Structures are given as C-alpha cells and as structure tokens.
C-alpha cells in the first residue's frame, strides 16, 4: 500500500468517524439550575454533563424590570402560560392540574408602546450545537380592542449564528388562532399575542434549530403597538432548553485518530511482510 493510498484511507476513516458519531442530547432544566433573581447575565457550566457551558444575556431597553408574585425579575419561576398565576391555581400546579415546571420568567413594564420597550435575549454555547429547541410561554395581550389593551406581547428578530455567521432561520411552531404572524421590513417575522389567555396552552411559541449548527441564538421580546400608549406590566417565560453537541467529543476524535493510525500502520506492516520486504 503506497503512502497516498494509506493517507487516503486514514483521512476517509476520520471523516467517517466524524460523520457517524452520535451526538448526545442534553437539556438546561430550570428545575435543576437556579437563576439569581434580578440578574441579567448568567452562565451555567457543564450543563447536564455535556461538557458545554450555556450563557444567557438579557438586555432591557425602553422598559424596566417588574416584579412578579413579589419576586424580582428575571428569575426562574413557575412557567407562565397554562398556570393562570398563583391566585388562580394551587401553588406548584398549572390550571390543568399538572405539576408546573419552572421557566425563566421575563417580566417588564415598558415606558410606551410602538416597540420602544423590549428585552433582547441572547443564548450562547461554548461549542457548536444542533437540535436546539425551546418554547416561549404566554404570548398574549391584555384583552380589549386595539390601542386600549393593557399590553401586547410580540416576539421578533429571531436569529441564529455560527462563528458570527447567520444560519438558516429557525422553525417556529404556534397556534395561528392564538398568535398572529406578521412580516415586518426590518424586524422580520413578528409573532403577536392576539388575546388575553393566561390559562391557555395555545399561546406558546416553539423555536427550533433542528438541522442548523449554531453557537448563538437570539430574539427580542417587545411591547407591541396594539396596546394603550403606556402599557402595563407584561411577561413571558422561556422553557427548558434542549440541545445536542454538533461535533463528537474531542477525546472521541483524538482516540479515533490514534486507532486509525494504528490500524493503518498494522496494515502497512502486514502487506510488507506479505511481499517479503523488511518491516524494520
């Protein structure tokens, strides 16, 4: 076996190892970690034993953080959307009688409507991931008619990137009877809560980057323009975050490389002996 053939065999083997390596799925579970109440940046290390760190940044503009249930926000509280608030259901249970998971709760009071008040959410990973998905709960509004509603939740500017290069758009799942999709020339797809629905599981927005490889995703939570001029408090919450490593663990690749080189060397020696050549 010539050097070129040997090199081609080793490279092909490493490529096969990379392609066929199975990525484990992991989850940042809000019941298993703690967000410091009122903090706007936090990093969780070695999430779910993945060897990866997840950093979340929350930047508020044109609004102030508001309390919810007497707790400073943001914080990981019982999730919004389906729980109806502590006055309407038993503590720790949603309105359907199920145990209520925690979620990262964003509660703000915008100074005015027309998208001037918003929270920009940036979720970053220490290594590239794929199969990334999470839900946004309680995308609704304060009821009443246009310009008289106490608030309007809007999600827009959804994006993902790898090494600061944009990837294909996220897949967005929602109930079109509860959330309206509107295309804006600068904000892109907007998802607007159409009615007040604190007890409904219909007002959930699912974001996923199933096939894309990303290291950062972002979206903005806006106070929309269908509310009164001075919106009241409003809030949404972010579910557990599911993800998988987009590449094999470094140790797996290194070990595979050593194994392949060893196999290649063994094959080379075997063929040399078969041809009666010295292998020393």
């Amino acid at each position: 076996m010539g050097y070129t053939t040997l090199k081609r065999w080793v490279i092909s083997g490493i490529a096969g190892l990379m392609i066929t390596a199975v990525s484990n799925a992991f989850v940042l579970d809000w019941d298993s970690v703690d967000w410091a109440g009122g903090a706007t940046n936090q990093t969780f290390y070695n999430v779910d034993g993945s060897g990866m760190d997840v950093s979340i940044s929350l930047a508020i503009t044109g609004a102030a953080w508001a309390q919810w249930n007497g707790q400073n926000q943001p914080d990981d509280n019982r999730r919004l959307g389906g729980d109806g608030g502590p006055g309407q259901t038993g503590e720790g249970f949603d309105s359907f009688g199920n145990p209520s998971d925690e979620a990262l709760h964003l509660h703000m009071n915008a100074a005015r409507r027309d998208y001037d008040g918003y929270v920009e959410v940036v979720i970053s990973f220490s290594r590239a991931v794929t199969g990334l998905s999470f839900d946004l709960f309680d995308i609704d509004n304060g009821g009443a008619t246009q310009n008289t509603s106490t608030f309007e939740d809007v999600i827009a500017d959804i994006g993902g990137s790898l090494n600061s290069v944009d990837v294909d758009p996220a897949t967005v799942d929602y109930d079109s009877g509860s959330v309206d999709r509107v295309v804006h020339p600068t904000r892109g797809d907007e998802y607007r809560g159409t009615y007040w629905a604190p007890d409904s599981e219909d007002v959930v927005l699912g974001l996923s980057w199933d096939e894309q490889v990303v290291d950062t995703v972002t979206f903005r939570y806006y106070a929309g323009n269908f509310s009164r001029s001075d919106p009241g408090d409003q809030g949404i919450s972010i579910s557990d975050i599911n993800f998988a490593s987009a590449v094999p663990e470094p140790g797996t690749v290194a070990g595979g490389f050593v194994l392949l080189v060893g196999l290649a060397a063994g094959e080379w020696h075997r063929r040399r002996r078969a041809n009666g050549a010295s292998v020393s």
Side-chain angles (χ1 to χ4, degrees):
M1 179 169 59
Y3 173 75
T4 301
T5 303
L6 174 62
K7 182 174 70 172
R8 188 176 299 144
W9 187 64
V10 172
I11 292 174
S12 298
I14 294 173
L17 178 68
M18 292 289 291
I19 292 170
T20 59
V22 177
S23 297
N24 292 322
F26 306 102
V27 59
L28 192 163
D29 184 345
W30 295 113
D31 289 324
S32 301
V33 300
D34 182 60
W35 185 277
T40 55
N41 294 276
Q42 198 153 331
T43 297
F44 302 96
Y45 299 96
N46 189 25
V47 172
D48 199 19
S50 65
M52 287 179 280
D53 306 333
V54 181
S55 298
I56 301 176
S57 170
L58 310 171
I60 194 165
T61 299
W65 293 110
Q67 285 197 337
W68 181 78
N69 196 26
Q71 296 172 305
N72 291 330
Q73 302 303 311
D75 201 356
D76 48 339
N77 310 118
R78 289 186 303 112
R79 69 177 176 85
L80 292 176
D83 70 4
Q88 299 179 42
T89 63
E91 187 69 28
F93 292 87
D94 65 21
S95 57
F96 302 95
N98 304 313
S100 183
D101 290 338
E102 288 188 355
L104 181 59
H105 187 175
L106 314 180
H107 205 69
M108 68 172 174
N109 187 350
R112 51 173 294 169
R113 65 183 182 203
D114 295 334
Y115 298 87
D116 287 339
Y118 62 87
V119 178
E120 183 169 47
V121 179
V122 179
I123 304 172
S124 301
F125 298 82
S126 57
R127 286 205 312 272
V129 301
T130 190
L132 172 61
S133 67
F134 54 88
D135 292 331
L136 304 178
F137 297 121
D138 202 35
I139 310 301
D140 62 354
N141 67 31
T145 59
Q146 183 174 337
N147 299 332
T148 64
S149 176
T150 52
F151 68 88
E152 182 195 28
D153 294 330
V154 179
I155 304 299
D157 296 299
I158 302 167
S161 62
L162 177 66
N163 297 324
S164 300
V165 177
D166 291 342
V167 301
D168 290 340
T171 299
V172 183
D173 295 319
Y174 62 98
D175 182 339
S176 59
S178 307
V179 176
D180 277 346
R181 173 181 171 268
V182 178
V183 179
H184 188 273
T186 59
R187 290 185 291 269
D189 290 350
E190 296 179 350
Y191 299 89
R192 315 170 70 121
T194 59
Y195 64 97
W196 185 62
D199 277 341
S200 174
E201 290 194 339
D202 296 332
V203 290
V204 176
L205 205 65
L207 304 184
S208 59
W209 290 261
D210 290 325
E211 304 295 333
Q212 303 92 318
V213 177
V214 298
D215 56 25
T216 302
V217 296
T218 183
F219 67 89
R220 284 184 177 180
Y221 167 40
Y222 286 97
N225 62 353
F226 281 8
S227 67
R228 65 192 186 193
S229 58
D230 180 11
D233 292 358
Q234 60 192 94
I236 64 169
S237 55
I238 305 172
S239 76
D240 297 342
I241 300 172
N242 300 280
F243 62 96
S245 175
V247 295
E249 295 298 316
T252 302
V253 176
F257 178 81
V258 172
L259 175 61
L260 288 169
V261 170
L263 290 172
E267 176 66 10
W268 183 79
H269 280 276
R270 186 189 69 79
R271 295 199 177 197
R272 293 277 291 179
R273 289 193 192 97
N275 294 327
S278 173
V279 296
S280 57

